[in-house]
Amino acid sequence: MLAKMEREKFDAWQTELLGRACIEHVQQQVQGKSRQVKMEVYKELTAGQRALFMFHVLHDHAHPSVAEFVSWIAYTLDHFSYWIGIQAGLRYFEQEDILHLLEEMKVVLEERNQRLGIQMSQISVLDLEEDPSLKEEASRLYQRYQELSEGTLLRIGRTIRSNPGEFVTLCDGA
């Protein structure tokens, strides 16, 4: 299920934007669809596309704000197949620093949940306003995530340029 892209467009994309261009067609196929449809589409992807897709599952949801970062990490931990897929995707792109950061956020959430006797599914964006300690720790990790993800986007783009056949079918114009 490789998307077709003209060589000229492929070469013209900025490196940090190349990943989105290569996975956009997959995102459109699964957006708003059932878990079953998502799994069927996912199974058809190459290893590189899976890694790219799972990185964007994380990044597109966690990037906008610290509140979304916290709630999306909690969501992926509550839906463990997402968490595992994100980890695999980051390993594919050799992004150990982000993996460690996500593990740190996981520990923060698990310790808080244990102290309060709640589940991951009960975490809310409102928790940041009600828990100054959580807000401080999450803000620190979110800031670090923002810094690291810029390098990850560049790494992904370089990986795609080095291995285009894993991510896209290049064709001549027309």
Side-chain angles (χ1 to χ4, degrees), residues 78-97:
D78 194 45
H79 296 84
F80 203 63
S81 62
Y82 285 117
W83 182 254
I84 297 297
I86 288 166
Q87 289 179 318
L90 290 168
R91 282 190 188 98
Y92 181 93
F93 292 113
E94 300 174 353
Q95 296 302 293
E96 295 299 319
D97 288 344

Side-chain angles (χ1 to χ4, degrees), residues 10 32 69 79 107 144:
F10 179 84
F69 175 75
H79 296 84
V107 169
R144 184 76 178 125

Side-chain angles (χ1 to χ4, degrees), residues 32-160:
K33 299 294 192 298
S34 71
R35 186 170 175 83
Q36 178 66 28
V37 169
K38 290 176 183 178
M39 287 304 298
E40 288 172 17
V41 170
Y42 184 80
K43 287 177 186 177
E44 293 180 26
L45 302 177
T46 66
Q49 287 177 307
R50 286 179 182 173
L52 181 59
F53 178 71
M54 292 312 295
F55 172 75
H56 277 284
V57 164
L58 167 68
H59 188 67
D60 295 354
H61 290 90
H63 179 73
S65 71
V66 67
E68 290 174 86
F69 175 75
V70 170
S71 61
W72 191 251
I73 298 302
Y75 179 83
T76 61
L77 287 165
D78 194 45
H79 296 84
F80 203 63
S81 62
Y82 285 117
W83 182 254
I84 297 297
I86 288 166
Q87 289 179 318
L90 290 168
R91 282 190 188 98
Y92 181 93
F93 292 113
E94 300 174 353
Q95 296 302 293
E96 295 299 319
D97 288 344
I98 290 184
L99 278 167
H100 293 302
L101 180 141
L102 294 179
E103 284 295 325
E104 236 184 292
M105 190 70 233
K106 175 185 174 189
V107 169
V108 167
L109 293 174
E110 287 175 339
E111 288 175 354
R112 180 179 180 272
N113 288 358
Q114 186 174 10
R115 185 172 31 89
L116 298 176
I118 63 172
Q119 303 295 314
M120 283 295 168
S121 61
Q122 294 173 286
I123 291 177
S124 159
V125 294
L126 300 175
D127 292 345
L128 291 174
E129 299 308 316
E130 298 168 1
D131 187 337
S133 175
L134 175 63
K135 184 175 185 173
E136 180 180 332
E137 195 63 19
S139 295
R140 179 185 68 78
L141 291 169
Y142 173 72
Q143 181 60 41
R144 184 76 178 125
Y145 172 78
Q146 294 288 40
E147 295 165 6
L148 291 172
S149 65
E150 290 177 23
T152 300
L153 291 168
L154 288 171
R155 170 69 181 215
I156 288 169
R158 287 191 302 267
T159 300
I160 293 168

Side-chain angles (χ1 to χ4, degrees), residues 11-24:
D11 292 339
W13 279 102
Q14 291 178 337
T15 300
E16 65 270 24
L17 300 177
L18 188 55
R20 180 167 309 286
C22 290
I23 205 69
E24 194 170 47

